[in-house]
Amino acid sequence: MGTKKNYTLILLLAFLYKFILDYAYKTFLVGNFAYSGFVIKENYFKYAESWLLLFLLISGVVLYTKGMEKPSKVILYIILLNLLVPLLTFYSMQDGARIYLYSILFGFMLTVWIVKKLKDFRVIMIEDSVKPVFFFLAVITLYVYGYLIATGGLSRLSFNLLAVYDVRSVYQQNNSGLMNYLVTWQAYAINMSMLIYTLEGRKKQLFFLFLFLQLLLFGMTGLKSFLFSPVVVIGLYYILKNVKLKNLVLEMMTVGVLFIVSLSVLLYSVFDNINAASIFVRRLLLVPAQLHFVYFDFFSTHETMKLSHSFLSFLFENPYNSPTPVDVIASVVFNNENFSPNVGYLGDAFSNFGFMGIIVYSITLGVVLKMLDSVARHVPIYFSAPLIVIPSMALINSALPTSLVTHGILFEITAIWLFSQIFKKTKAEGVPS
């Protein structure tokens, strides 16, 4: 009975979420951003079809993630709410390509199926690894902060949100190569791991130390995601640790995004304030959806890149003068080489290998998520899931290889594996000491 009620609640929340997105598109986006392609191309059949697809999508996800207490489900929910539902809205409003939308939905459900059906991988555990784990993390931490300070980090230090772009510009001039990876890994993996670890172990002084280090990282880089990530990670930690709430993760996440979108639309409708709606509705949700269709429109009629700009350059020649799919779209479609129209992992998959790319990338992501679940087998979900949530957000507007390496999904999986050694050893009800 409870499960049926949960399913009905999820459907109602998802339908309300799409309804608000549709309303925001028709009023806010068309009224203010028609010049950037947000127009209405009426197709009433596709509008009705989008609601049916939403019903089937939610039903499929609920069916396959039922009873799943693994961190991968949080990533699946993020893709569902932040990418697929906005894609349904854009599809219905712009008379989008049906075969492309269906291939994306199929690819996503293929990933869900792999995560559900594939058996956990055998994971090698290292005995007496507690001290080496913390030594390894400490070395990276000292190197990252030492390098940033040595390259003028304290001189550009600022916690003013209005100055983040100036700070970021100076930071990027002094940062390249390995540091591009290490800074992101420090912010999303090491600092967040230690925040949850110290919070769980009730080590208040260490908790505030790593919270300070995270704020310091934001102040020296100007990357706003570094500032807000502790809020998301700690919030999800408390939700998953609550016995009653941990089985309502999809409901809670849907309520969260529904609240943000509704509040943004309300501020626009009542006070004519476009700031929140522009950030959360347009930039966070519907621009990524728009770009997925922009990439399809271009690469369905032009040669795909086949990762010739990346690690398959030895096999395929780049057919364009631009180095990446993002640069191709920026220069050819938008005629602006100073613009970075980054697309999510499925849009990037199509730009490289067409429809087959969507299948291959979906399988690859499914295997990676199963690897995550395997290494997190001895780690409570309230520890593992919060750590992976921020890096996985990159999947909405970054290529899969970029999300895995640059944005730290693979490094986060490694960090969870390292902490699993500690959890397995202590076994004090899953609580680290």
Side-chain angles (χ1 to χ4, degrees), residues 218-356:
F218 159 72
M220 292 191 292
T221 63
L223 296 170
K224 289 182 288 186
S225 60
F226 292 179
L227 177 64
F228 297 114
S229 54
V231 179
V232 176
V233 168
I234 294 172
L236 187 57
Y237 162 79
Y238 279 113
I239 289 174
L240 291 172
K241 195 166 186 185
N242 186 292
V243 176
K244 294 181 179 179
L245 294 180
K246 73 175 183 178
N247 294 320
L248 302 173
V249 178
L250 181 53
E251 292 91 329
M252 297 288 291
M253 292 177 67
T254 309
V255 167
V257 71
L258 177 59
F259 173 77
I260 293 173
V261 170
S262 299
L263 181 61
S264 301
V265 173
L266 182 65
L267 289 173
Y268 169 72
S269 301
V270 176
F271 301 104
D272 199 30
N273 186 320
I274 71 169
N275 293 330
S278 179
I279 294 171
F280 295 111
V281 178
R282 182 187 68 89
R283 185 64 191 92
L284 185 64
L285 298 172
L286 288 172
V287 164
Q290 178 193 40
L291 289 174
H292 274 75
F293 282 98
V294 168
Y295 272 66
F296 170 77
D297 290 340
F298 180 84
F299 285 103
S300 61
T301 56
H302 295 77
E303 189 174 353
T304 56
M305 295 196 69
K306 301 178 183 65
L307 289 175
S308 57
H309 60 287
S310 185
F311 55 86
L312 293 186
S313 59
F314 69 98
L315 282 179
F316 303 104
E317 184 178 350
N318 190 332
Y320 302 96
N321 293 325
S322 301
T324 69
V326 175
D327 296 313
V328 172
I329 296 298
S331 60
V332 178
V333 177
F334 292 100
N335 195 28
N336 184 357
E337 294 184 355
N338 297 317
F339 177 44
S340 296
N342 295 297
V343 74
Y345 77 104
L346 292 171
D348 178 74
F350 187 86
S351 72
N352 280 292
F353 298 104
F355 291 112
M356 183 55 66

Side-chain angles (χ1 to χ4, degrees), residues 167-185:
V167 174
R168 191 183 307 172
S169 176
V170 178
Y171 157 70
Q172 290 174 341
Q173 292 174 9
N174 295 285
N175 186 47
S176 61
L178 180 61
M179 283 302 297
N180 286 325
Y181 300 102
L182 290 180
V183 170
T184 303
W185 297 349

Side-chain angles (χ1 to χ4, degrees), residues 57-301:
L57 183 61
I58 296 296
S59 300
V61 170
V62 170
L63 175 65
Y64 274 96
T65 61
K66 178 182 176 182
M68 180 191 295
E69 287 200 23
K70 297 181 179 181
S72 61
K73 74 175 183 180
V74 176
I75 299 181
L76 296 174
Y77 293 163
I78 287 173
I79 297 172
L80 171 66
L81 296 174
N82 288 27
L83 178 60
L84 300 186
V85 176
L87 277 172
L88 290 174
T89 289
F90 196 88
Y91 169 78
S92 64
M93 295 294 165
Q94 287 246 1
D95 191 20
R98 179 176 287 115
I99 188 172
Y100 181 55
L101 178 70
Y102 277 53
S103 67
I104 285 178
L105 297 181
F106 175 79
F108 173 74
M109 289 309 301
L110 177 60
T111 300
V112 174
W113 183 85
I114 290 172
V115 172
K116 179 70 174 181
K117 297 297 184 181
L118 195 65
K119 292 183 179 180
D120 283 350
F121 301 130
R122 183 174 177 270
V123 178
I124 299 174
M125 307 297 285
I126 303 175
E127 297 295 331
D128 300 322
S129 60
V130 176
K131 290 183 179 179
V133 166
F134 287 119
F135 178 78
F136 172 70
L137 298 180
V139 168
I140 295 179
T141 300
L142 290 172
Y143 180 80
V144 167
Y145 284 92
Y147 181 90
L148 288 175
I149 292 172
T151 54
L154 295 181
S155 63
R156 62 176 179 267
L157 183 68
S158 174
F159 300 103
N160 183 355
L161 288 173
L162 299 178
V164 292
Y165 294 107
D166 294 331
V167 174
R168 191 183 307 172
S169 176
V170 178
Y171 157 70
Q172 290 174 341
Q173 292 174 9
N174 295 285
N175 186 47
S176 61
L178 180 61
M179 283 302 297
N180 286 325
Y181 300 102
L182 290 180
V183 170
T184 303
W185 297 349
Q186 181 71 45
Y188 293 155
I190 298 176
N191 287 352
M192 295 303 102
S193 298
M194 293 308 299
L195 279 179
I196 299 300
Y197 180 80
T198 54
L199 190 65
E200 178 66 13
R202 300 178 182 177
K203 305 176 188 293
K204 291 184 179 180
Q205 292 181 338
L206 284 175
F207 172 81
F208 285 110
L209 171 62
F210 279 95
L211 186 60
F212 168 75
L213 288 176
Q214 183 72 7
L215 293 176
L216 187 63
L217 206 58
F218 159 72
M220 292 191 292
T221 63
L223 296 170
K224 289 182 288 186
S225 60
F226 292 179
L227 177 64
F228 297 114
S229 54
V231 179
V232 176
V233 168
I234 294 172
L236 187 57
Y237 162 79
Y238 279 113
I239 289 174
L240 291 172
K241 195 166 186 185
N242 186 292
V243 176
K244 294 181 179 179
L245 294 180
K246 73 175 183 178
N247 294 320
L248 302 173
V249 178
L250 181 53
E251 292 91 329
M252 297 288 291
M253 292 177 67
T254 309
V255 167
V257 71
L258 177 59
F259 173 77
I260 293 173
V261 170
S262 299
L263 181 61
S264 301
V265 173
L266 182 65
L267 289 173
Y268 169 72
S269 301
V270 176
F271 301 104
D272 199 30
N273 186 320
I274 71 169
N275 293 330
S278 179
I279 294 171
F280 295 111
V281 178
R282 182 187 68 89
R283 185 64 191 92
L284 185 64
L285 298 172
L286 288 172
V287 164
Q290 178 193 40
L291 289 174
H292 274 75
F293 282 98
V294 168
Y295 272 66
F296 170 77
D297 290 340
F298 180 84
F299 285 103
S300 61
T301 56

